[in-house]
């Protein structure tokens, strides 16, 4: 196992639509194990594969319950309910947090590392991390959900930071 460098805002891989995994193999298992180690080292509660430069539909998360690290392969959101404001951050935009509105409860269907179907359903941190990671796989970032005017200012700040202007 190894920790991998986490791609930061501005890296084009974060905006890519990731390709589905079409079969479990040693390569996929190795990526997942490295992603889990990278997530815990960061530290973070979720990580999508494109955040470590692998544009495949893979994510890992730990919703800080007694189940520990879990894997989502080819996850799909199959149901959402309600609306909820929650403070979110992202390992690809370190040190920044925003109040983000998303559905309160979500149900996600995915495969685990054995290729078996798994379903996760929840609200709070679990619901939030599931939605955040699935969005990454379609090139989504939490800042996309900010109100337009706020988003414009945040994008300007992040671009200036990347250019070394701040
Ligand atoms: Ni993120």
């Amino acid at each position: 196992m190894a920790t991998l460098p986490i791609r930061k805002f501005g890296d084009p891989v974060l905006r890519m639509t990731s390709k589905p995994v079409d079969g479990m193999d040693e390569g996929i298992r190795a990526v997942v194990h490295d992603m889990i180690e990278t997530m815990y080292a960061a530290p973070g509660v979720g990580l999508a594969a494109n955040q470590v430069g692998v544009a495949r539909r893979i994510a890992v998360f730990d919703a800080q319950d007694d189940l520990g690290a879990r894997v989502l392969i080819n996850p799909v959101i199959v149901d959402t309910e309600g609306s909820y404001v929650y403070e979110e951050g992202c390992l690809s935009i370190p040190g920044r947090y925003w109040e983000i509105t998303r559905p309160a409860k979500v149900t996600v269907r995915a495969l685990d590392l054995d290729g078996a179907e798994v379903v996760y359903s929840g609200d709070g941190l679990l619901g939030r991390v599931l939605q955040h990671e699935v969005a990454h796989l379609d090139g989504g970032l939490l800042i996309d959900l900010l109100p337009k005017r706020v988003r414009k200012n945040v994008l300007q700040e992040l671009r200036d930071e990347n250019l070394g202007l701040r």
Side-chain angles (χ1 to χ4, degrees):
M1 300 229 292
T3 59
L4 304 168
I6 297 177
R7 305 299 181 90
K8 299 301 189 306
F9 177 81
D11 190 316
V13 76
L14 295 174
R15 289 309 197 176
M16 286 180 65
T17 299
S18 294
K19 289 196 169 64
V21 173
D22 50 16
M24 306 307 160
D25 58 26
E26 279 315 303
I28 298 292
R29 288 194 182 88
V31 166
V32 165
H33 287 131
D34 287 349
M35 285 172 63
I36 290 170
E37 189 172 330
T38 302
M39 171 179 77
Y40 284 133
V45 295
L47 188 70
N50 61 336
Q51 291 184 278
V52 292
V54 178
R56 305 298 296 275
R57 302 188 82 79
I58 305 168
V60 298
F61 69 95
D62 182 332
Q64 302 187 331
D65 49 25
D66 50 11
L67 296 175
R70 280 164 286 172
V71 182
L72 302 169
I73 309 278
N74 299 341
V76 178
I77 294 175
V78 291
D79 194 33
T80 60
E81 215 180 290
S83 176
Y84 185 45
V85 179
Y86 195 90
E87 191 179 70
E88 262 183 68
C90 179
L91 294 175
S92 293
I93 313 176
R96 303 289 299 265
Y97 301 88
W98 296 279
E99 303 268 303
I100 302 288
T101 305
R102 297 190 197 255
K105 190 180 173 195
V106 65
T107 302
V108 169
R109 189 183 296 151
L111 300 176
D112 67 14
L113 265 186
D114 297 318
E117 188 175 282
V118 287
V119 176
Y120 295 111
S121 190
D123 55 12
L125 178 64
L126 173 60
R128 193 47 65 123
V129 78
L130 288 170
Q131 295 179 76
H132 181 115
E133 301 315 324
V134 172
H136 270 302
L137 303 182
D138 288 312
L141 292 170
L142 75 173
I143 53 174
D144 303 340
L145 298 171
L146 291 169
K148 197 173 175 187
R149 183 167 298 180
V150 179
R151 184 169 71 235
K152 199 173 161 224
N153 290 333
V154 167
L155 285 170
Q156 189 63 55
E157 285 168 30
L158 294 173
R159 287 188 187 120
D160 287 354
E161 276 170 24
N162 282 356
L163 292 171
L165 299 176
R166 287 178 197 238

